[in-house]
Amino acid sequence: MENYPAQEIETKWRQKWNDNDSYRVDLKDDKRDKLYVLVMFSYPSEKKLHIGHWWNYGGTDTYARFKKMQGYNVFEPMGFDAFGLPAENYAIKHDLNPADVTSDSVLYIREQLKLIGAMYDWSREVDTSKPEYYKWTQWLFLQLFNRDAAYRKYAPVNWCTNCQTVLANEQVLSDGTCERCSTNVETRDLEQWFFRITDFADDLLDGLSDLDWPESTKLRQKHWIGRSEGTEISFLIEEIAQNIDCFTTRADTLYGATYIVLAPEHSLTRSISTPEQSESINEYVRKARDLSDIERQSLEREKTGVFTGAYAINPANGERLPIWIADYVLVTYGTGAVMAVPAHDQRDFEFAAKYDLPVQWVIKPTNPHDKTLKDRAFTEFGVMCNSAEFDGLSSTEGMQTITQWLERKNAGKAAVSYRLRDWLISRQRYWGAPIPIIHCQVCGIVPVPEEDLPVLLPLEGVDYRPRGTSPLGSSSEFINTTCPKCGAAAKRDADTMDTFVCSSWYYLRYLSTHMEKSAFDQNVLSNWLPVDVYIGGPEHATGHLIYARYIAKFLNSIGLLHYSEPFKKMVHQGIITHQGQRMSKSKGNVVNPDKFIEKYGSDCLRMYLMFMGDFSLGGDWSDEGIIGVRRFQNRVWRLVNNWSERIFIEETTIEVDDSLNRVKHYTIKEVTDDLDNFRFNTAISRLMEFVNELYKYTFNPDKVNISFLRECFQTLIKLLSPLAPHLSEELWERVFKGTNDELMYDGWPVHDDKILIEETVTVVIQINGKLIERLPLTKGYSQDEVFREAITKEKVQNHLEKGELIKMIYIRDRILNIVLKPKR
Ligand code: ANZ
Ligand code: ZN
């Protein structure tokens, strides 16, 4: 029997699926439960898909196929996040037009995607750079604008000198560089467009608790939102009779404040500085601009600052505190001013040491035996001291008592601060959705009327290269218009929207691609949302995943969506490496999928990737590894084909093999559970074991119960089908054609617990090498499960009491060896 002829068969099935429109989804089907399986769409920057795309698209499709066979009406769409810097920067580098680069790339990638053999319903593709799509992105902007949730503000913003555009905080990495090009990001004062995401800060936090997302991702969002409860305390500057309000989370340290720090950009900076100081202050303020907020807050950076010459009064003890300016205080957080407590805040401590400012200890450890170090701040909670009538209160009591006391004196109040900033969405770049706004000298900012959408991005006549101002401004045809309100000559807004606006709602458009009169179809949405499973990288935790949640909450708040959490369950794919390293062109270790598809077939590539490692952890690619999977596929191919002639001859005299029957049910149970949890690698291992058993069973054809073997083959092919769809369809057709043409709709196998339970094994419990117990247990118990059984036995308990458990060694279904260290 020949090997699996991948090329021929895979082409045949893709053609067939295409001709039969096999994967068109009926969104109105109400007989089956819906399941919306969404994978983050691709952005076509350069032509090719790489192996990483195969990893998450292949895995996602395996899950989707499995669920479809279980009877769900599965919707698994695909599209293109086509606007934005990746395509644009690539185009500029190669002196091409971003629109051409994008459409070429989409054409090419779409064909590559088809090779995966995924169940994409291409009639529902979205491309965010097409007017049919961005018309509705602009409509979304107008919905926000009309409710004052999109606004323009002159503010200090992140500026990438290489990309020559502003960036949202979410696009600046923790080392202060641009996420796209790794250039240092600086601060500039510019008038820009923002979305009021901060209005939903609490909703975004509260919503997290109901989501079935990886805890680490929820935590990252929580930190990013950064809700912080504290106190705002007023320090009076007598000379100008004005207060400086400082936000603190440690009101209990008020008596330890020895100076005040303002952010360089604070509005009081200039009015309080004495003439002698003002030159050095101006210089300092200017320098602070070269850094992004993120860099300024880095704990490793050496603190710098300047004294203003002014003082403010501590409301608690009347002390005069010098007012400094330092860049580690951000104008955008809290009130932009800090009461510095060097004894109990490490940044203040370092600053005070450098500029020789006093340190006053006002918190001591709760346990009087604990010593504090004098060469660093004591930042923990403790007991108040050196704090007049508040001495002896715990930090927690102190924070409350001091806050109430300040409230009575009118010198402070309880306050909440958030790290989250409003979302800066305008970009000084060409390749994006134009902002649907017109600037009129008479009427001011005027929204483009909805019926005039889309505001088309001109594909010709624009010098699209970035130059620090918006390229669209260079097109007089685009920029000059008339005011929709008064008819006077006016100018269009020349900025485009951040691509994350496009991707904040694309999952809604998939459900309504054909709607011309509105962004989405409410009826369909109400049946199909939320997305049941969303698959994508964890790097989106504090970007796309927050933006999309925000937009859903906004649309919900204005009655356009019936739900406010778009993605019920989130799965992150891991990263695949090659030769132990992340793939990159510069290292020359990028694996090109095409070559392997040609050689081994698409199913083999998909299955090898899934076999390589845990889906959410990733794995290391090896050229040899794929051969192992190829061999397995050939084994299945030959086994089933070898029997295809004989499989329908009834043979009744031979009994069903109980042990193989148990393997069969065990395989169903495990593979089902594995696929449900994106554990593709272990599912494949189980299938390999099953195939080994089938080979053993068929070794002597005279002892085979044919109808039982037939059942086993059916089970095998079905379980294999989500992992190797082409191969499985072909085998099904060859062997079972007529009984059931459409493998996919024939249902997913179900195991019988009764058959499994009968299979018991005896697991020996050893303690320090001595046999203590023999336990009859169900096959397949994990170490934990065996241990749990073992400790119910008295003999085991008695032994365990004599020593301290150091480790356990478990040989599946045979021995659990417990190693104890004797107690003294
Ligand atoms: C006095 C103090 C004493 C503070 C102490 C801490 C410890 P989170 O938890 O992140 O909200 N802070 C306030 N506004 C700031 C700004 N704009 N830029 C930089 N730092 C700022 O942190 C709140 C604490 O960060 C505040 O509490 C303040 O320092 C500082 F023993 O005030 B604290
Ligand atoms: Zn950049």
Side-chain angles (χ1 to χ4, degrees):
M1 185 72 211
E2 93 284 22
N3 284 337
Y4 167 54
Q7 286 310 326
E8 176 196 325
I9 285 170
E10 295 185 347
T11 316
K12 164 187 155 185
W13 280 102
R14 281 195 296 271
Q15 191 60 49
K16 221 166 175 166
W17 293 331
N18 187 52
D19 295 347
N20 299 346
D21 220 356
S22 303
Y23 301 130
R24 183 178 289 268
V25 177
D26 177 6
L27 296 178
K28 301 232 158 71
D29 178 351
D30 53 10
K31 286 185 280 300
R32 291 176 296 160
D33 287 340
K34 69 95 183 178
L35 199 87
Y36 191 168
V37 180
L38 181 70
V39 65
M40 289 181 183
F41 56 172
S42 56
Y43 47 76
S45 60
E46 290 172 47
K47 268 188 174 175
K48 290 195 172 87
L49 288 189
H50 63 73
I51 209 88
H53 294 108
W54 270 78
W55 173 268
N56 65 343
Y57 294 156
T60 301
D61 184 60
T62 293
Y63 177 79
R65 283 179 175 273
F66 157 64
K67 284 293 171 188
K68 180 160 177 166
M69 289 175 77
Q70 278 193 329
Y72 290 94
N73 187 20
V74 175
F75 182 42
E76 184 197 9
M78 180 48 71
F80 301 95
D81 192 5
F83 269 146
L85 288 180
E88 197 177 14
N89 285 349
Y90 179 82
I92 289 162
K93 201 165 132 202
H94 296 86
D95 208 13
L96 297 163
N97 185 310
D100 295 340
V101 165
T102 304
S103 57
D104 278 3
S105 165
V106 165
L107 269 180
Y108 192 89
I109 292 180
R110 196 190 288 114
E111 289 316 305
Q112 281 193 306
L113 283 166
K114 285 182 179 168
L115 291 181
I116 297 178
M119 302 195 299
Y120 302 137
D121 179 348
W122 288 105
S123 72
R124 298 190 165 273
E125 172 192 324
V126 303
D127 176 333
T128 57
S129 69
K130 291 275 185 290
E132 308 87 82
Y133 184 89
Y134 69 72
K135 170 179 181 176
W136 300 110
T137 307
Q138 292 171 337
W139 168 87
L140 176 66
F141 178 97
L142 293 179
Q143 304 314 302
L144 289 145
F145 179 82
N146 292 338
R147 287 157 186 89
D148 194 36
Y151 66 97
R152 238 168 119 76
K153 180 177 74 173
Y154 190 78
V157 293
N158 305 306
W159 178 267
C160 173
T161 47
N162 180 43
C163 295
Q164 303 216 28
T165 180
V166 299
L167 300 171
N169 283 354
E170 289 78 8
Q171 290 161 326
V172 182
L173 301 180
S174 56
D175 62 354
T177 60
C178 166
E179 123 186 298
R180 285 279 158 240
C181 72
S182 309
T183 304
N184 263 330
V185 171
E186 54 181 52
T187 308
R188 284 199 186 173
D189 288 313
L190 291 168
E191 193 177 7
Q192 296 293 320
W193 285 99
F194 295 85
F195 286 174
R196 258 184 240 285
I197 190 172
T198 52
D199 278 357
F200 287 87
D202 279 327
D203 295 300
L204 286 165
L205 271 180
D206 296 344
L208 287 174
S209 57
D210 297 332
L211 298 180
D212 179 7
W213 285 22
E215 282 308 315
S216 53
T217 299
K218 292 207 259 184
L219 210 62
R220 282 174 68 190
Q221 286 210 348
K222 202 174 150 201
H223 287 321
W224 188 259
I225 297 163
R227 185 190 152 96
S228 196
E229 288 179 21
T231 314
E232 227 170 83
I233 304 177
S234 307
F235 295 75
L236 178 68
I237 312 171
E238 286 173 319
E239 289 76 4
I240 57 168
Q242 264 200 57
N243 283 325
I244 296 185
D245 295 326
C246 297
F247 175 74
T248 177
T249 44
R250 292 294 304 271
D252 58 318
T253 65
L254 178 56
Y255 283 81
T258 56
Y259 62 103
I260 301 280
V261 191
L262 301 182
E265 306 86 346
H266 195 284
S267 58
L268 282 174
T269 301
R270 274 166 226 280
S271 50
I272 59 171
S273 39
T274 53
E276 307 87 73
Q277 302 288 350
S278 72
E279 196 169 313
S280 54
I281 285 175
N282 286 346
E283 167 74 13
Y284 187 79
V285 172
R286 235 180 358 86
K287 274 220 204 105
R289 318 257 70 192
D290 294 341
L291 303 169
S292 65
D293 281 6
I294 308 212
E295 220 175 339
R296 279 167 54 170
Q297 287 222 294
S298 156
L299 291 176
E300 282 101 62
R301 266 189 63 240
E302 185 175 340
K303 311 281 166 300
T304 59
V306 269
F307 177 47
T308 62
Y311 292 83
I313 308 287
N314 185 338
N317 54 14
E319 256 171 47
R320 272 165 69 81
L321 307 178
I323 305 173
W324 284 67
I325 288 170
D327 62 9
Y328 72 92
V329 173
L330 303 180
V331 72
T332 47
Y333 187 65
T335 57
V338 169
M339 68 171 201
V341 185
H344 304 291
D345 180 288
Q346 188 59 25
R347 282 177 305 185
D348 299 343
F349 187 89
E350 287 165 20
F351 191 86
K354 178 162 174 188
Y355 293 105
D356 210 10
L357 292 156
V359 179
Q360 168 72 344
W361 303 85
V362 293
I363 303 291
K364 53 186 186 191
T366 311
N367 181 344
H369 299 300
D370 288 350
K371 290 260 173 305
T372 54
L373 299 166
K374 294 294 172 206
D375 62 348
R376 54 154 71 228
F378 174 65
T379 56
E380 281 155 52
F381 284 1
V383 179
M384 292 174 69
C385 59
N386 299 329
S387 301
E389 74 247 48
F390 302 100
D391 281 358
L393 292 180
S394 73
S395 286
T396 358
E397 289 165 339
M399 290 188 291
Q400 270 189 11
T401 315
I402 295 255
T403 305
Q404 287 159 2
W405 180 74
L406 288 168
E407 274 169 358
R408 282 197 301 278
K409 288 189 33 164
N410 231 345
K413 58 176 196 273
V416 179
S417 275
Y418 297 89
R419 292 234 160 257
L420 186 68
R421 301 272 74 89
D422 275 344
W423 175 12
L424 200 182
I425 61 102
S426 42
R427 296 289 176 273
Q428 290 68 53
R429 298 291 298 233
Y430 165 69
W431 192 232
I435 292 178
I437 288 289
I438 290 168
H439 300 271
C440 169
Q441 294 231 307
V442 186
C443 310
I445 293 179
V446 183
V448 172
E450 276 182 30
E451 58 273 19
D452 292 349
L453 297 181
V455 176
L456 287 174
L457 181 72
L459 295 181
E460 273 155 29
V462 187
D463 178 5
Y464 52 79
R465 282 167 305 187
R467 82 262 340 251
T469 56
S470 306
L472 287 180
S474 74
S475 162
S476 57
E477 214 170 302
F478 174 84
I479 208 78
N480 294 315
T481 184
T482 51
C483 171
K485 255 194 194 157
C486 73
K491 296 217 183 292
R492 288 193 187 280
D493 200 298
D495 285 352
T496 53
M497 282 185 254
D498 179 13
T499 26
F500 283 109
V501 181
C502 309
S503 59
S504 69
W505 72 282
Y506 75 112
Y507 67 100
L508 299 175
R509 188 65 186 170
Y510 277 140
L511 294 166
S512 315
T513 36
H514 308 292
M515 299 283 289
E516 280 173 17
K517 298 239 149 48
S518 60
F520 34 76
D521 182 339
Q522 292 287 350
N523 288 328
V524 177
L525 254 53
S526 63
N527 291 330
W528 275 90
L529 291 174
V531 169
D532 296 277
V533 189
Y534 194 18
I535 295 102
E539 68 277 12
H540 292 289
T542 55
H544 163 65
L545 290 172
I546 274 195
Y547 298 145
R549 290 183 64 220
Y550 157 61
I551 291 298
K553 287 181 190 300
F554 167 76
L555 290 171
N556 174 252
S557 74
I558 62 170
L560 288 180
L561 280 187
H562 63 286
Y563 71 96
S564 68
E565 281 299 341
F567 315 125
K568 209 154 72 182
K569 179 185 166 97
M570 180 79 221
V571 176
H572 296 313
Q573 79 272 6
I575 290 174
I576 42 175
T577 52
H578 186 206
Q579 294 149 348
Q581 289 189 306
R582 242 191 139 107
M583 286 181 218
S584 79
K585 272 207 211 109
S586 56
K587 290 198 199 100
N589 65 344
V590 177
V591 177
N592 174 5
D594 299 352
K595 174 176 123 193
F596 292 97
I597 300 169
E598 219 164 90
K599 195 156 174 201
Y600 303 114
S602 151
D603 277 355
C604 185
L605 176 60
R606 170 201 288 231
M607 200 159 152
Y608 168 56
L609 284 168
M610 281 184 285
F611 191 48
M612 237 169 61
D614 186 289
F615 183 72
S616 55
L617 296 179
D620 193 57
W621 172 277
S622 102
D623 289 6
E624 295 79 54
I626 193 168
I627 299 169
V629 169
R630 168 73 183 170
R631 237 178 254 137
F632 168 68
Q633 292 186 338
N634 283 334
R635 266 165 81 72
V636 174
W637 177 253
R638 285 195 301 262
L639 176 68
V640 179
N641 275 309
N642 280 338
W643 282 86
S644 62
E645 302 285 313
R646 287 169 282 176
I647 200 95
F648 289 98
I649 307 167
E650 276 315 314
E651 169 55 72
T652 49
T653 55
I654 296 165
E655 284 195 16
V656 169
D657 182 305
D658 281 346
S659 145
L660 180 61
N661 197 28
R662 275 194 294 270
V663 174
K664 178 184 132 192
H665 284 265
Y666 175 71
T667 309
I668 298 173
K669 176 170 183 267
E670 295 289 301
V671 170
T672 307
D673 194 45
D674 285 345
L675 294 187
D676 237 335
N677 292 290
F678 287 77
R679 287 191 305 257
F680 307 120
N681 54 338
T682 48
I684 295 169
S685 298
R686 292 292 93 77
L687 286 169
M688 288 175 166
E689 286 162 16
F690 186 34
V691 169
N692 285 345
E693 293 302 316
L694 286 169
Y695 264 95
K696 280 188 214 154
Y697 182 63
T698 52
F699 187 70
N700 184 350
D702 297 338
K703 291 195 173 153
V704 168
N705 176 325
I706 300 276
S707 61
F708 171 61
L709 184 65
R710 196 164 64 225
E711 271 173 43
C712 286
F713 280 179
Q714 288 181 338
T715 303
L716 172 67
I717 298 172
K718 283 187 187 181
L719 296 182
L720 193 63
S721 150
L723 295 150
H726 306 84
L727 166 69
S728 309
E729 286 261 26
E730 178 68 20
L731 284 176
W732 191 269
E733 186 187 64
R734 288 189 176 208
V735 184
F736 300 111
K737 193 174 165 62
T739 56
N740 238 314
D741 283 350
E742 294 246 45
L743 162 65
M744 290 296 283
Y745 302 108
D746 194 37
W748 186 252
V750 180
H751 77 276
D752 184 346
D753 264 330
K754 281 203 293 291
I755 291 166
L756 282 184
I757 281 164
E758 282 164 30
E759 191 177 21
T760 49
V761 287
T762 303
V763 179
V764 170
I765 308 296
Q766 290 187 343
I767 293 184
N768 288 347
K770 254 202 291 182
L771 191 154
I772 308 294
E773 268 286 1
R774 288 172 193 277
L775 299 178
L777 296 173
T778 308
K779 194 175 171 182
Y781 265 33
S782 68
Q783 172 177 305
D784 246 27
E785 287 167 321
V786 174
F787 186 66
R788 230 177 290 143
E789 288 294 327
I791 55 176
T792 61
K793 304 289 173 219
E794 215 181 313
K795 266 200 251 163
V796 177
Q797 280 172 12
N798 289 340
H799 274 87
L800 283 180
E801 273 163 24
K802 289 189 207 134
E804 186 186 326
L805 201 157
I806 302 182
K807 65 172 175 180
M808 291 195 268
I809 302 157
Y810 179 52
I811 304 169
R812 206 181 178 89
D813 300 329
R814 289 174 53 202
I815 302 176
L816 178 67
N817 192 4
I818 303 171
V819 182
L820 297 183
K821 187 174 85 179
K823 276 190 189 152
R824 271 186 294 170

